[in-house]
Amino acid sequence: MLQLDQIPLKQIHGVSALKEGELHAFGISNVQDMLEYYPFRYEDYRLRSLSEVKDGDKITVQAKIMGIPVLQRYGRKSRLTCKLMAEDWMFTATWFNRHFLKDQLTSGREIVVTGKWDLKRMQMTVADSEFPDKGVARSGTIQPVYSIGGKITQSWMRKTMNQTLQQFGEMIPEILPDLLVRKYSMMPRKQAIAGIHQPQDNREGQEARRRMVYEELFLFQLKMQAFRALNRGRADGVVHTVDNATIREFVRALPFELTDAQKKVELEILHDLRSPYCMNRLLQGDVGSGKTVVAAIGLFATVRSGFQGALMVPTEILAEQHMRSLHKLFEPFGISVGLLTGSTTGKKRKELLAALQMGLLDIVVGTHALIQEDVYFRQLGLVVTDEQHRFGVNQRSVLRRKGYNPDVLTMTATPIPRTLAITAFGDMDVSTISERPKGRIPISTYWVKHELMDRVLGFISREVDQGRQAYLICPLIEESEKLDVQNAIDLHIQMQQAFPHYRVGLLHGRMTPAEKEEVMRSFYANEVQLLVSTTVVEVGVDVPNATLMIIMDADRFGLSQLHQLRGRVGRGAHASYCVLIADPKSEVGQERMKVMTDTDDGFEVARRDLDLRGPGDFFGTKQSGLPEFRLADMVADFEVLEKAREDATDLIKDSSFWTSPQYEALRGYLQKEQIFQGDLID
C-alpha cells in the first residue's frame, strides 16, 4: 500500500499541473505534505446575536437588506453602503472596493455579513459577505486560514484540503504507540489532523492541536535521543592526546586572563576531545563573552594532537575577522591558518586546497565554501561552527563528513535559558559562558523619544569628531504605507544632509552579498564613519572603533534582537553607548525600553523577554537557532516539550523499542530521517 508521502499532488481531485507547481512553492510536494500544511489561524463564521456582542468584535450575522445601496467612487477605489436589519437592529454595512456587489444588494434579500462591529455608530465594516439563496459556504462554521500566495486563494485551499481529507483521510497512519495515546488521553492521529483543518468547535480544535503538538515535539526528541544513544555508544571518534602542560603554555600566552566560566567550559571541551566518543557540544554565551578564544583552545589542542581544525562562519567579513584573530594567537606556536571563502579563487584557492589535503595547513577558517565538493582534509579532527543558526543542519553535517567522525563544537551568541537549551538541543551537551571578560567596559544604554533627535545628532557628532564610528539601525528598508516608522533609505539621505563632512554608508538585505561585504569593509577600515543599516548587522560584525549604536523605532524590535544589536559596540577600548529612540504606546513597550536601560546581561534580558512578551513571541527564528515546527512553540509548549523528552528518553532506553512490533512505525520514522540504517539494529 502506498504511503501518503509517495502519492503525488496530482492525485488530489482538482489539483492541476499549474496548481501543483504553486503548491511546490510552499514546500508541499505530496499528499502527506498537504495534510500537514496546517492553518495558522481561524476565522469564526458562527452566527452571533447583536444583543450579545461588544464594540469592536469581529462577528458574523444574518440580516435582511432594507434599502437601496449607495456607491461612491474615489478614482480606482470605491465605498459601498447599505442599510441592513438583524433581529430588531438596523445598522449600516460598508464594503470597500466591492462595487460589483451593488446590483446584488436588492431590498428584502437575506445576506450574511462578517466584519468589525461599531456599536457607537451602529455600523459594520464588512470583510466577507454571502447570500443564503446562493448556498452558504462559510456561515455557521470555523474556517481555517492558511499561509498562501501566488494564484492560490483561501477558498481554493480550503476546498482542496477538504477534498484531500475526503480522499486520503482514512489512510493517515497512527505513529504514536498506544501507551502514549492512552497516557495523555489524546485523540487518534487521523481525527486530530482532520480536527485541525475542520474543527467543529473550539474544544475540538484545541484537542487536535494538543495531540499534534505533542507528536511533533515527541518525534523531534525521539530523533535526538536516538541519535545521541547510537552515537554516544560508539567509541569511534577522534581521540586527542594533548597534555595539560601544552595547553597551559598556550593559555599563558593569551593577552588576557580567562574568566572562571571560560576555564570551566575549556575543561568540558578538553574532556570531550580526549574521549573516544564524538563531541557534539553547544557553546552559548552572551555577545562579547569570549567564546572564540575557548574555541581557539580547542583548535590548538586539535593541532597539537596531529589533526586539522575547521571554523565555519556565515559571512566573509566574519571569516576574515576570525582569520586575523586566530593568526595572531597561533603564529607564535607555528600553527598555520588559512582562509577559504567565495572570494578565494584561482591559483590562491588551488594552493590552499592542496595544502589542506596534504596536511600542510593546520586550521582553515571559511564560509559555506568549506563544504564544497573539492575541499578535502588530510585528517580533520575538530569542526567549529560559529553562529550555528545561520547554517542548516545539512550544511553542518556536510562539513562534519569531511573527516572521519571529527568532534563538533557549535557556538551561538543568543542566550537561551539553560533548561530550554538542554531540552531543545537534546542531541548536544550544553556549555554556557555566563561571565564577561575582565576589563570589558559596560555599554551605557539610554532611551529617548523622537523629539530629542537633535540632541542625538549632537551626540553622534561628538563621537565621530573624536575619531569614533556609529551605527544607525532602522526596522525597514524603505517607506511603508502601513507602518509609520523610520526606514533606512530615507535615514541615509537625512544623515548625509546632517553630516556632509562624514561618509555615510547604507546596508540592507536587498543588497547583493558583494555589495554588503564592500560596505562592511569600508566601515571596518573607517572609510565610512556612519553606517545606516537594517538588522543585517545584528550578528558577528566586530568593529572595535564603533562606539555608538542608535536604534530608530526601538519598540519595533524584540528585546533579544535589541540586545544583539547593542552587542555590535563595546568591542574596543573606548566607552560605548546605545541609544534607543522610541515612543512606545503600550506598557509592555515601555517596560522593554526600561529592561534595556537596566541591564546589559544577555541572560537577564532573555529571562525578562520571556516574562514580558509571552512565550509565543520570545524566539525569532532568525536569531534563536531553535528548530522550527509546524504547530509547536518550544517556549509556549515547554511543559509538553519536557514530557516529550522524558517519554522519548525512556523509550530509547527500553530494549524492546528496537524489536517490538508496536514501535515499528517509530523505527520506520527514524530510518526515514537517517538516524540509523537497518543493519545497525541487532
Side-chain angles (χ1 to χ4, degrees), residues 230-251:
L230 292 169
N231 283 277
R232 293 300 170 89
R234 290 160 41 197
D236 58 357
V238 174
V239 179
H240 298 81
T241 54
V242 66
D243 58 77
N244 288 333
T246 305
I247 297 295
R248 279 197 295 270
E249 181 189 1
F250 179 72
V251 172

Side-chain angles (χ1 to χ4, degrees), residues 240 269-270 273 293-303 382 384 409:
H240 298 81
I269 292 170
L270 290 173
L273 292 175
V293 75
V294 171
I297 295 169
L299 289 166
F300 177 81
T302 298
V303 174
L382 175 62
V384 181
L409 179 66

Side-chain angles (χ1 to χ4, degrees), residues 231-232 234-242 268-282 295 298-299 301-303 305 307-311 379-385 396-397 399-410 429:
N231 283 277
R232 293 300 170 89
R234 290 160 41 197
D236 58 357
V238 174
V239 179
H240 298 81
T241 54
V242 66
E268 291 170 348
I269 292 170
L270 290 173
H271 176 269
D272 284 356
L273 292 175
R274 288 164 177 155
S275 160
Y277 302 101
C278 282
M279 173 170 74
N280 192 23
R281 185 170 289 277
L282 174 72
L299 289 166
T302 298
V303 174
S305 300
F307 296 93
Q308 293 168 294
L311 169 58
Q379 205 165 20
L380 182 61
L382 175 62
V383 171
V384 181
T385 309
R396 300 200 300 269
S397 61
L399 182 54
R400 185 174 193 165
R401 290 197 295 272
K402 296 285 184 181
Y404 182 72
N405 294 334
D407 290 309
V408 175
L409 179 66
T410 301
D429 293 308

Side-chain angles (χ1 to χ4, degrees), residues 343-619:
S343 299
T344 312
T345 56
K347 183 181 177 185
K348 192 175 181 181
R349 188 174 191 275
K350 284 183 182 176
E351 289 175 350
L352 187 141
L353 294 182
L356 205 56
Q357 189 169 1
M358 290 187 290
L360 302 176
L361 184 62
D362 299 315
I363 295 168
V364 62
V365 180
T367 57
H368 61 277
L370 289 176
I371 61 177
Q372 291 174 349
E373 285 187 15
D374 60 346
V375 179
Y376 299 98
F377 292 80
R378 184 172 183 274
Q379 205 165 20
L380 182 61
L382 175 62
V383 171
V384 181
T385 309
D386 192 18
E387 299 305 342
Q388 59 95 18
H389 59 279
R390 300 284 287 276
F391 297 104
V393 173
N394 290 340
Q395 288 177 305
R396 300 200 300 269
S397 61
V398 167
L399 182 54
R400 185 174 193 165
R401 290 197 295 272
K402 296 285 184 181
Y404 182 72
N405 294 334
D407 290 309
V408 175
L409 179 66
T410 301
M411 301 194 294
T412 179
T414 302
I416 302 168
R418 185 173 173 80
T419 50
L420 181 60
I422 290 169
T423 305
F425 301 102
D427 59 327
M428 295 181 176
D429 293 308
V430 179
S431 291
T432 302
I433 300 178
S434 52
E435 283 180 82
R436 283 206 187 91
K438 293 167 185 173
R440 186 171 290 263
I441 304 170
I443 301 165
S444 301
T445 303
Y446 304 99
W447 165 32
V448 301
K449 298 194 174 180
H450 286 86
E451 62 200 43
L452 295 178
M453 190 64 193
D454 284 345
R455 291 178 61 181
V456 174
L457 294 177
F459 193 12
I460 294 172
S461 184
R462 284 194 297 276
E463 283 295 299
V464 179
D465 284 346
Q466 292 176 36
R468 313 285 171 255
Q469 293 163 272
Y471 297 95
L472 292 99
I473 307 297
C474 298
L476 296 179
I477 296 175
E478 58 191 9
E479 190 175 1
S480 165
E481 290 183 9
K482 296 180 180 177
L483 297 173
D484 183 22
V485 295
Q486 183 60 265
N487 69 85
I489 292 174
D490 284 354
L491 186 63
H492 178 242
I493 295 169
Q494 292 166 20
M495 290 303 105
Q496 285 177 318
Q497 293 169 347
F499 300 107
H501 304 302
Y502 305 144
R503 278 199 62 194
V504 184
L506 176 63
L507 186 68
H508 58 72
R510 288 192 200 153
M511 297 167 70
T512 66
E515 288 170 337
K516 291 180 197 171
E517 298 287 343
E518 177 55 29
V519 171
M520 282 312 305
R521 187 205 62 75
S522 299
F523 190 58
Y524 188 85
N526 202 2
E527 294 166 7
V528 165
Q529 287 74 49
L530 302 180
L531 181 60
V532 176
S533 174
T534 57
T535 56
V536 291
V537 300
E538 180 185 321
V539 170
V541 178
D542 189 357
V543 181
N545 193 51
T547 58
L548 186 53
M549 170 63 69
I550 311 290
I551 304 177
M552 306 297 298
D553 298 294
D555 52 325
R556 305 290 308 181
F557 300 91
L559 269 178
S560 294
Q561 198 171 30
L562 288 173
H563 182 67
Q564 290 288 329
L565 289 166
R566 174 168 60 184
R568 294 307 99 221
V569 296
R571 321 288 289 190
H574 307 289
S576 293
Y577 310 90
C578 176
V579 180
L580 310 172
I581 301 176
D583 296 308
K585 304 294 185 287
S586 69
E587 287 184 19
V588 171
Q590 293 169 15
E591 187 60 32
R592 289 220 304 267
M593 297 302 101
K594 289 174 185 172
V595 170
M596 288 296 294
T597 56
D598 287 348
T599 180
D600 63 350
D601 180 336
F603 289 94
E604 176 63 16
V605 169
R607 187 188 69 75
R608 299 277 291 276
D609 200 7
L610 180 55
D611 292 341
L612 280 174
R613 299 180 70 198
D617 299 321
F618 180 58
F619 289 108

Side-chain angles (χ1 to χ4, degrees), residues 5-245:
D5 62 351
Q6 297 172 321
I7 303 175
L9 293 169
K10 62 184 178 183
Q11 296 292 325
I12 304 170
H13 299 323
V15 176
S16 63
L18 187 65
K19 285 288 195 278
E20 189 175 17
E22 293 273 341
L23 291 173
H24 283 170
F26 303 151
I28 303 173
S29 302
N30 51 59
V31 168
Q32 179 173 300
D33 290 343
M34 186 70 177
L35 290 170
E36 293 179 359
Y37 194 75
Y38 301 126
F40 67 91
R41 65 180 176 86
Y42 299 89
E43 295 279 9
D44 191 345
Y45 290 103
R46 289 175 295 180
L47 295 174
R48 304 272 297 277
S49 168
L50 288 177
S51 60
E52 64 183 28
V53 301
K54 298 175 185 173
D55 183 51
D57 282 357
K58 186 175 183 183
I59 59 168
T60 298
V61 294
Q62 185 158 347
K64 183 179 285 187
I65 299 169
M66 299 302 291
I68 299 170
V70 177
L71 177 65
Q72 296 170 290
R73 291 184 181 273
Y74 310 93
R76 292 184 179 181
K77 297 181 179 180
S78 66
R79 183 173 184 263
L80 181 64
T81 58
C82 189
K83 293 289 184 183
L84 304 181
M85 172 77 81
E87 302 157 45
D88 295 326
W89 298 66
M90 179 83 78
F91 64 96
T92 303
T94 303
W95 291 259
F96 289 99
N97 304 319
R98 294 288 185 274
H99 57 275
F100 51 83
L101 287 175
K102 182 175 183 290
D103 294 338
Q104 299 178 50
L105 297 174
T106 55
S107 185
R109 191 180 187 188
E110 292 287 323
I111 187 170
V112 176
V113 287
T114 300
K116 188 175 180 181
W117 178 241
D118 186 335
L119 182 60
K120 295 172 186 171
R121 295 185 178 88
M122 291 297 291
Q123 65 183 32
M124 176 191 286
T125 302
V126 182
D128 278 302
S129 56
E130 55 193 12
F131 300 96
D133 56 20
K134 281 189 170 182
V136 175
R138 294 183 295 270
S139 302
T141 64
I142 299 172
Q143 289 288 326
V145 180
Y146 298 93
S147 179
I148 56 169
K151 295 179 181 176
I152 301 290
T153 63
Q154 236 9 285
S155 58
W156 185 90
M157 194 68 173
R158 288 167 180 163
K159 177 184 169 187
T160 306
M161 194 65 76
N162 291 347
Q163 181 63 43
T164 309
L165 284 164
Q166 286 177 29
Q167 282 183 248
F168 304 103
E170 289 303 311
M171 292 175 61
I172 295 172
E174 181 59 76
I175 191 168
L176 293 181
D178 193 47
L179 65 94
L180 288 178
V181 175
R182 287 200 315 272
K183 179 179 178 180
Y184 297 114
S185 302
M186 292 186 291
M187 61 173 60
R189 190 167 191 262
K190 63 177 69 172
Q191 184 185 339
I193 289 178
I196 285 175
H197 292 294
Q198 301 172 332
Q200 297 304 305
D201 52 40
N202 291 339
R203 187 179 178 280
E204 183 184 21
Q206 288 164 0
E207 283 298 304
R209 183 187 183 278
R210 182 173 75 90
R211 151 69 207 234
M212 296 311 295
V213 163
Y214 174 84
E215 179 182 301
E216 273 195 323
L217 296 175
F218 172 76
L219 292 178
F220 167 68
Q221 287 294 335
L222 187 77
K223 191 162 60 172
M224 290 201 295
Q225 298 306 326
F227 179 86
R228 187 183 183 101
L230 292 169
N231 283 277
R232 293 300 170 89
R234 290 160 41 197
D236 58 357
V238 174
V239 179
H240 298 81
T241 54
V242 66
D243 58 77
N244 288 333

